[in-house]
Amino acid sequence: MEEIPKHYKKYYVSHKKIKRIILNMGKKYKKKLEKGLIQNTVKHADKHRIRMLPPFLYNDIISHEIKKVNKFSENKYNEILKNLVGVYKELKKMRCNSELLENRKDIEKVLDLIGCDIIHFDFYIQKNFKIIMKLVFFFDKIMNISINQWVLLSLIKEKFCNINIENLIVYLSFLYSSLRLINSNEVNDRGKNNESKNNETWIPPDTFERTSNKFLVKLDHIIYTKVKIVKYLPYLIFGLSNDDIEHNFMSLIEKEKKKKKKKKIEKPNIHQINEINVNLPISKIRNDEENKDILNEKKLKKSLKESQQITSVYFDNKDATCFSKRILRYENAQLIRFRWYNDNEYDHNKIIFIERKIHHEEWTGENSTKDRFELEQKYVLKYMNGELNIRNYFIKKFNKKKKELYKIAHQKNSITGQANCVDEKKIKNLEKKTKKNIKLANEIQKMILNNNLEPIIRTSYLRSAFQQSTDNTLRISIDTNISMLN
């Protein structure tokens, strides 16, 4: 990991200094306890005396340090954002002016430096959080009390703890992607199709064939790892294209500009006061701006979420047949799980992915596979119990989608005046997919019923994925906040 910049040091929490203050305070506190002054303070509580109690004493010591960390964090965040915006503007100029392509290497260096800045910034936040909590525990030990939970609850509300560093990495990833497009000469007259392909939203395949390698990464190194990945492989955010990320980036820039304007309005100078009075009251100006913000947010149909919550329910029987075969890595060992993405508010139409993973040994020459199909949540229990007519279910879905395709074709016919605008390839692919889903659903259902499989364990985690939206060959995913419920 890169060395921490020296100028950061003065903005860290003064650990040694505060430790000395706590030690001195502890001595005074013990003397007061012996004299019974603390008990009197509690009995005859008033504002002045209450402030002499340990929680308030610690708050007085640390509040200045927290303000320092908050201020630095806010300024650093704005600085990184400003640098990202600067690179974004340069890249836009390059797209329009081919003469500026010579600056590509310089821009890459700038992006690398921004990446380092993000890494250092994350380290700064984590380190200061740990220092503050260490000091709390030290304070508890010296004072023989316990205020660490109280401090923790107040600390997580502080500005520096709520800075979205991950989104900065998403924007960094977007800029690296834009630079890669320029480097590969795709942003020109001949490469317009490639650029449009790059902006496509990723559609997950029904069958995955992959050889996977797994590694454990320390939590402290997650941001570092992500920054290093995005230089070579972009973020893959389900449901978002590069255009959507760019749109989010631009909206964030606008929000930051408005925040600065609001600060100026809140602290007007003598010349500005007369102008404001002539036009509208400040409250009305604020309300108008807030309403505009709400409208802009509504326009942003797709919000930016760096990581996606994935929840899976794994099936097994009392003898742990599936688990045993998978652990022993038997050839053709199978695993069944029901998976959903993001929150599940028990919506009947929520899509649940029914998945089957099959392990193949290397000597077979086959790759391990993962097949899945979609099922609305309202049908899941019936499917598990063998009560759902699988064939009828998928045929109904097929006919519904087929009607939609014919409807689209009819609309095209009325506009263009041409006949037979129906996409036969799509219908054939849909038919093929339906047959495959029927077969897969029957096989999984039989496996559940024949082996007395039932939900055994539920896993949940946040996944950040890195992959080209047009290519499924290589994918890196980082899972954090992993939890298991039995």
Side-chain angles (χ1 to χ4, degrees), residues 27-252:
K27 289 172 186 176
K28 290 176 185 178
Y29 185 73
K30 280 176 185 176
K31 286 177 183 177
K32 285 180 181 180
L33 272 176
E34 287 168 8
K35 292 177 182 178
L37 292 172
I38 299 298
Q39 286 84 345
N40 290 332
T41 301
V42 175
K43 284 178 185 177
H44 309 286
D46 58 49
K47 284 183 181 179
H48 178 70
R49 287 181 178 179
I50 283 289
R51 295 201 69 80
M52 299 305 292
L53 293 172
F56 296 97
L57 289 171
Y58 182 80
N59 188 56
D60 290 341
I61 298 165
I62 207 72
S63 59
H64 174 72
E65 297 296 317
I66 290 172
K67 280 178 186 175
K68 180 174 75 176
V69 175
N70 277 335
K71 192 176 180 182
F72 177 81
S73 299
E74 194 175 3
N75 290 338
K76 196 70 197 171
Y77 176 81
N78 290 330
E79 185 191 316
I80 292 168
L81 195 62
K82 188 182 174 183
N83 292 336
L84 288 168
V85 172
V87 174
Y88 174 71
K89 285 176 180 176
E90 286 297 316
L91 289 170
K92 281 195 96 174
K93 285 177 187 176
M94 275 188 188
R95 287 180 183 180
C96 303
N97 189 353
S98 57
E99 291 177 7
L100 296 170
L101 291 172
E102 293 174 4
N103 302 330
R104 285 177 294 179
K105 287 183 180 178
D106 294 333
I107 284 177
E108 190 175 350
K109 284 177 184 176
V110 172
L111 286 174
D112 291 344
L113 287 169
I114 293 169
C116 289
D117 233 3
I118 292 169
I119 292 164
H120 298 145
F121 186 31
D122 173 65
F123 180 83
Y124 171 83
I125 289 168
Q126 287 192 52
K127 194 72 177 174
N128 279 290
F129 184 87
K130 286 175 184 176
I131 291 168
I132 293 166
M133 289 311 295
K134 262 188 181 181
L135 288 167
V136 177
F137 285 109
F138 181 70
F139 184 85
D140 284 355
K141 189 180 177 182
I142 296 297
M143 297 293 190
N144 197 26
I145 56 168
S146 181
I147 63 163
N148 55 76
Q149 290 298 314
W150 174 74
V151 173
L152 179 63
L153 287 169
S154 61
L155 195 61
I156 56 175
K157 294 174 186 175
E158 294 293 337
K159 278 183 184 178
F160 81 95
C161 289
N162 291 286
I163 285 171
N164 197 333
I165 288 178
E166 280 82 2
N167 276 10
L168 290 176
I169 306 171
V170 175
Y171 301 135
L172 181 70
S173 169
F174 163 69
L175 295 175
Y176 270 126
S177 295
S178 301
L179 185 62
R180 274 195 295 271
L181 273 172
I182 292 166
N183 285 338
S184 59
N185 296 319
E186 288 179 351
V187 186
N188 52 39
D189 292 335
R190 285 181 295 173
K192 277 180 183 176
N193 291 330
N194 290 326
E195 189 179 0
S196 63
K197 279 182 183 178
N198 193 63
N199 287 328
E200 286 178 6
T201 305
W202 180 70
I203 299 166
D206 295 316
T207 302
F208 298 81
E209 287 189 23
R210 283 202 186 106
T211 306
S212 60
N213 295 307
K214 294 181 174 71
F215 306 94
L216 289 172
V217 179
K218 284 185 178 179
L219 190 62
D220 294 350
H221 297 162
I222 292 292
I223 295 295
Y224 174 85
T225 308
K226 287 178 180 179
V227 168
K228 295 301 175 186
I229 290 168
V230 296
K231 185 176 179 179
Y232 306 100
L233 207 60
Y235 260 101
L236 180 71
I237 300 171
F238 188 74
L240 290 184
S241 65
N242 258 6
D243 285 341
D244 296 321
I245 293 168
E246 186 175 6
H247 197 51
N248 274 281
F249 185 40
M250 295 310 297
S251 68
L252 180 68

Side-chain angles (χ1 to χ4, degrees), residues 184-400:
S184 59
N185 296 319
E186 288 179 351
V187 186
N188 52 39
D189 292 335
R190 285 181 295 173
K192 277 180 183 176
N193 291 330
N194 290 326
E195 189 179 0
S196 63
K197 279 182 183 178
N198 193 63
N199 287 328
E200 286 178 6
T201 305
W202 180 70
I203 299 166
D206 295 316
T207 302
F208 298 81
E209 287 189 23
R210 283 202 186 106
T211 306
S212 60
N213 295 307
K214 294 181 174 71
F215 306 94
L216 289 172
V217 179
K218 284 185 178 179
L219 190 62
D220 294 350
H221 297 162
I222 292 292
I223 295 295
Y224 174 85
T225 308
K226 287 178 180 179
V227 168
K228 295 301 175 186
I229 290 168
V230 296
K231 185 176 179 179
Y232 306 100
L233 207 60
Y235 260 101
L236 180 71
I237 300 171
F238 188 74
L240 290 184
S241 65
N242 258 6
D243 285 341
D244 296 321
I245 293 168
E246 186 175 6
H247 197 51
N248 274 281
F249 185 40
M250 295 310 297
S251 68
L252 180 68
I253 294 162
E254 287 300 315
K255 277 183 185 178
E256 292 301 319
K257 282 180 183 176
K258 282 172 185 176
K259 277 182 187 177
K260 286 176 184 177
K261 282 180 184 178
K262 278 181 185 179
K263 282 179 183 178
K264 284 179 183 178
I265 291 167
E266 282 168 9
K267 294 179 181 178
N269 58 37
I270 298 161
H271 300 291
Q272 286 175 322
I273 289 167
N274 294 327
E275 289 175 20
I276 291 165
N277 288 336
V278 169
N279 296 318
L280 291 168
I282 294 169
S283 59
K284 196 165 184 183
I285 292 166
R286 279 182 193 160
N287 289 334
D288 289 343
E289 285 182 354
E290 281 168 12
N291 290 334
K292 282 178 184 177
D293 287 343
I294 292 161
L295 287 168
N296 288 332
E297 281 174 16
K298 283 181 180 178
K299 284 178 186 177
L300 274 171
K301 292 178 183 177
K302 298 175 181 178
S303 60
L304 182 66
K305 287 183 180 178
E306 179 266 346
S307 53
Q308 192 174 25
Q309 188 181 354
I310 299 175
T311 308
S312 304
V313 175
Y314 289 84
F315 280 64
D316 211 333
N317 53 29
K318 290 175 182 178
D319 299 323
T321 307
C322 297
F323 175 77
S324 303
K325 286 180 179 179
R326 288 282 294 181
I327 289 293
L328 295 169
R329 300 183 72 81
Y330 283 169
E331 167 56 26
N332 205 42
Q334 296 186 25
L335 176 149
I336 305 296
R337 71 181 177 203
F338 289 14
R339 170 173 282 188
W340 62 88
Y341 296 90
N342 300 320
D343 297 328
N344 191 341
E345 300 292 337
Y346 308 107
D347 177 15
H348 291 303
N349 296 317
K350 172 83 176 174
I351 296 297
I352 308 296
F353 292 90
I354 316 295
E355 299 182 353
R356 180 185 65 187
K357 293 179 83 174
I358 301 176
H359 170 73
H360 290 296
E361 288 291 297
E362 283 184 21
W363 55 265
T364 62
E366 292 183 48
N367 290 326
S368 296
T369 59
K370 182 181 86 175
D371 297 291
R372 67 181 188 179
F373 66 91
E374 296 175 15
L375 190 69
E376 286 94 331
Q377 192 159 236
K378 59 189 171 186
Y379 298 117
V380 167
L381 189 60
K382 282 185 177 180
Y383 175 76
M384 283 167 57
N385 296 333
E387 295 169 8
L388 181 70
N389 190 318
I390 292 164
R391 185 175 175 79
N392 286 352
Y393 170 77
F394 281 107
I395 293 295
K396 277 182 184 177
K397 277 188 85 174
F398 169 72
N399 289 332
K400 190 181 177 182

